[in-house]
C-alpha cells in the first residue's frame, strides 16, 4: 500500500499498518496505514499475481525497500503483533509512546 499523505521529515512520528490477512490479487485492499495513531489516506498497490503471504524463504526486513536501500534515521521501537490492530489500539499505542518518550504526537 502506498501513502497519499505527506510525511514530515526531521520530526518524530509514529507509523503503523494493519493487514487483515486477505489474499489474492486485491490483498492490498486489506491493509490500512496509520500515522500518529490515525488512519491516513493511501492507495492500494495490488499485484495481480499475488496469492498469499506464505514466503518462508525471505527474512523479515524492517526499514528497507530493497537489499541496498536502508532507512536513514532514528527509530525508537518496532512493535510486531500476530493479529490485526484496531484503530483504537493504534491510538492507544500512540498515547503510550507519547507518555513513555515525552512526545506530543
Amino acid at each position: 500500500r502506498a501513502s497519499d499523505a505527506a510525511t514530515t521529515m526531521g520530526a518524530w512520528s509514529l507509523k503503523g499498518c494493519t493487514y487483515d490477512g486477505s489474499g489474492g490479487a486485491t490483498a492490498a485492499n486489506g491493509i490500512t496505514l496509520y500515522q500518529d495513531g490515525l488512519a491516513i489516506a493511501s492507495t492500494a498497490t495490488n499485484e495481480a499475481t499475488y496469492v498469499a503471504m506464505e514466503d518462508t524463504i525471505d527474512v523479515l526486513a524492517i526499514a528497507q525497500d530493497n537489499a541496498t536501500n536502508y532507512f536513514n534515521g532514528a527509530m525508537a521501537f518496532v512493535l510486531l503483533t500476530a493479529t490485526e490492530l484496531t484503530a483504537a489500539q493504534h491510538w492507544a499505542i500512540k498515547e503510550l509512546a507519547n507518555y513513555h518518550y515525552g512526545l506530543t504526537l
Side-chain angles (χ1 to χ4, degrees), residues 6-101:
T7 299
T8 302
M9 303 304 283
W12 282 105
S13 66
L14 181 66
K15 306 292 190 238
C17 69
T18 60
Y19 171 55
D20 66 9
S22 58
T26 59
N29 294 345
I31 298 171
T32 303
L33 302 180
Y34 291 84
Q35 181 171 308
D36 298 334
L38 298 172
I40 59 173
S42 61
T43 301
T45 53
N46 289 304
E47 176 62 45
T49 60
Y50 180 76
V51 177
M53 199 175 295
E54 298 173 352
D55 185 353
T56 59
I57 296 171
D58 288 335
V59 297
L60 176 64
I62 296 174
Q64 76 181 73
D65 60 7
N66 61 43
T68 59
N69 192 13
Y70 297 95
F71 174 76
N72 183 15
M75 280 190 212
F77 69 91
V78 174
L79 173 66
L80 181 64
T81 67
T83 186
E84 179 184 13
L85 299 179
T86 66
Q89 289 169 319
H90 277 272
W91 183 262
I93 291 166
K94 188 262 314 184
E95 292 294 296
L96 287 170
N98 280 344
Y99 176 77
H100 183 77
Y101 294 103

